[in-house]
Amino acid sequence: MSTITQMTPDQARKFMEGSKPDSYTLLDVRQEAEYEQDHIPGARLVPLSLLPDHFEELDKRRPLLVYCASGGRSMAAAALLQGQGFEDINNLVGGISAWEGEGAFGPMELGMIAFTGAESPAEVILKAYSMENVLQAFYVQRADMAETMERIELFMELAGFEDKHKDTLYELYTRIAEKVMSRDEFEAVALRNSSDMAEGGVPVSEFMDRFPGAFDSDQGVLELASMVEAQALDYYLRCAMQAQSEDTKNVLQLLAREEKAHLKLLGKHMDKRN
């Protein structure tokens, strides 16, 4: 079982100084504009929003040192890479902010919900719908708390993404269910078992409480959203590998493709604000 090692800037510098440049991969998972503004010398840029398209370009035999702005997106990237079989993964705690001596947050580790492999396709979809609903409610709540029209519009746009995803999930459910429930019945069943867990298992409110100030800006909101979407993508990809039925595997792979597209869209929104 591979592990993700949390490296402080001092540990990362010692690791880099003691290694040949071509013996490891230094991976920057921020957006291109962030990279162009400042980056650690020798870093390869692969934004988190595009990482799923570049797994095969990265050498699994080399140790990976992954970083972002503050350590959140890089941790989500590290989990994605771990799920794809990379074994020596190191996350730079605090990201480039800590590297440059600025104030840093601790490791931003995200949760993972349980999946046994025995769930039916309908059960998988119901669980996914519940997670989407929690994240949508979170965005709507944040919109209600927002103090500017720009922030309100941003949160409501993010909530709209989740609404479309819920529509996709219900439509998918109607294709595979033997006895189809109405949309209201389907939602009631899905939400009956709901908890404060968003896509991929992230307890969003608790997570934000642990890192006050880390996601205050509009860009920070998008960073958090991209972390959650990456975790959801990782969850569906891992579950697809464990699924015991071909139908369940196909559903999970479709959900993964949806998350992948959503992650790219968030990357484009981040680019607009850089």
Side-chain angles (χ1 to χ4, degrees):
M1 176 66 179
S2 63
T3 59
I4 299 171
T5 300
Q6 303 293 341
M7 279 192 177
T8 65
D10 285 345
Q11 290 170 330
R13 284 189 172 92
K14 185 176 180 179
F15 166 78
M16 292 167 65
E17 289 168 0
S19 306
K20 294 181 179 179
D22 61 352
S23 66
Y24 67 94
T25 301
L26 178 60
L27 192 64
D28 187 323
V29 296
R30 299 173 300 159
Q31 294 300 114
E32 184 175 358
E34 296 175 275
Y35 180 87
E36 290 177 352
Q37 183 176 356
D38 190 18
H39 61 269
I40 300 174
R44 174 175 178 175
L45 174 66
V46 182
L48 175 61
S49 58
L50 301 177
L51 182 59
D53 290 329
H54 296 274
F55 289 141
E56 294 182 0
E57 299 172 14
L58 300 172
D59 190 344
K60 290 184 178 180
R61 296 169 298 180
R62 294 183 180 182
L64 278 164
L65 175 55
V66 191
Y67 75 93
C68 62
S70 58
R73 281 175 288 172
S74 59
M75 190 60 201
L80 264 174
L81 292 162
Q82 182 189 50
Q84 294 302 305
F86 288 81
E87 295 186 354
D88 192 346
I89 310 166
N90 305 278
N91 179 56
L92 180 59
V93 176
I96 198 167
S97 295
W99 178 269
E100 294 177 344
E102 299 175 12
F105 298 94
M108 297 182 178
E109 297 188 57
L110 304 174
M112 181 70 76
I113 66 173
F115 179 82
T116 66
E119 288 87 345
S120 70
E123 288 171 333
V124 169
I125 292 172
L126 282 163
K127 185 177 288 188
Y129 191 96
S130 174
M131 292 189 295
E132 298 281 357
N133 192 76
V134 170
L135 187 58
Q136 182 186 39
F138 167 75
Y139 287 140
V140 171
Q141 178 191 52
R142 290 285 153 173
D144 290 341
M145 296 167 59
E147 298 178 352
T148 67
M149 183 56 66
E150 184 177 11
R151 179 64 70 89
I152 292 170
E153 290 174 351
L154 171 61
F155 278 120
M156 292 309 297
E157 185 173 11
L158 292 172
F161 292 163
E162 304 309 322
D163 207 34
K164 291 177 182 177
H165 213 161
K166 286 162 64 180
D167 289 343
T168 299
L169 285 166
Y170 180 70
E171 196 276 330
L172 179 59
Y173 160 77
T174 63
R175 283 193 242 156
I176 57 92
E178 294 182 5
K179 184 178 179 181
V180 177
M181 292 183 282
S182 69
R183 179 66 178 264
D184 288 343
E185 291 172 325
F186 175 84
E187 183 157 319
V189 172
L191 303 190
R192 195 175 300 149
N193 299 316
S194 179
S195 61
D196 186 26
M197 300 293 281
E199 295 174 277
V202 183
V204 183
S205 298
E206 177 188 328
F207 185 78
M208 289 197 73
D209 289 344
R210 284 169 52 204
F211 302 103
F215 308 105
D216 283 348
S217 67
D218 288 352
Q219 191 73 0
V221 170
L222 291 168
E223 288 180 21
L224 174 60
S226 68
M227 291 165 57
V228 173
E229 296 297 339
Q231 184 76 345
L233 174 59
D234 180 39
Y235 170 69
Y236 292 134
L237 289 173
R238 290 180 191 237
C239 291
M241 294 178 189
Q242 299 174 40
Q244 296 174 13
S245 82
E246 197 63 29
D247 285 343
T248 302
K249 181 176 294 186
N250 290 337
V251 167
L252 288 161
Q253 289 175 339
L254 176 59
L255 292 172
R257 289 195 294 273
E258 289 280 328
E259 296 298 349
K260 185 177 174 181
H262 199 168
L263 191 58
K264 287 183 178 180
L265 190 58
L266 284 167
K268 291 178 180 178
H269 276 265
M270 292 176 71
D271 287 338
K272 289 180 183 177
R273 286 171 168 78
N274 275 321

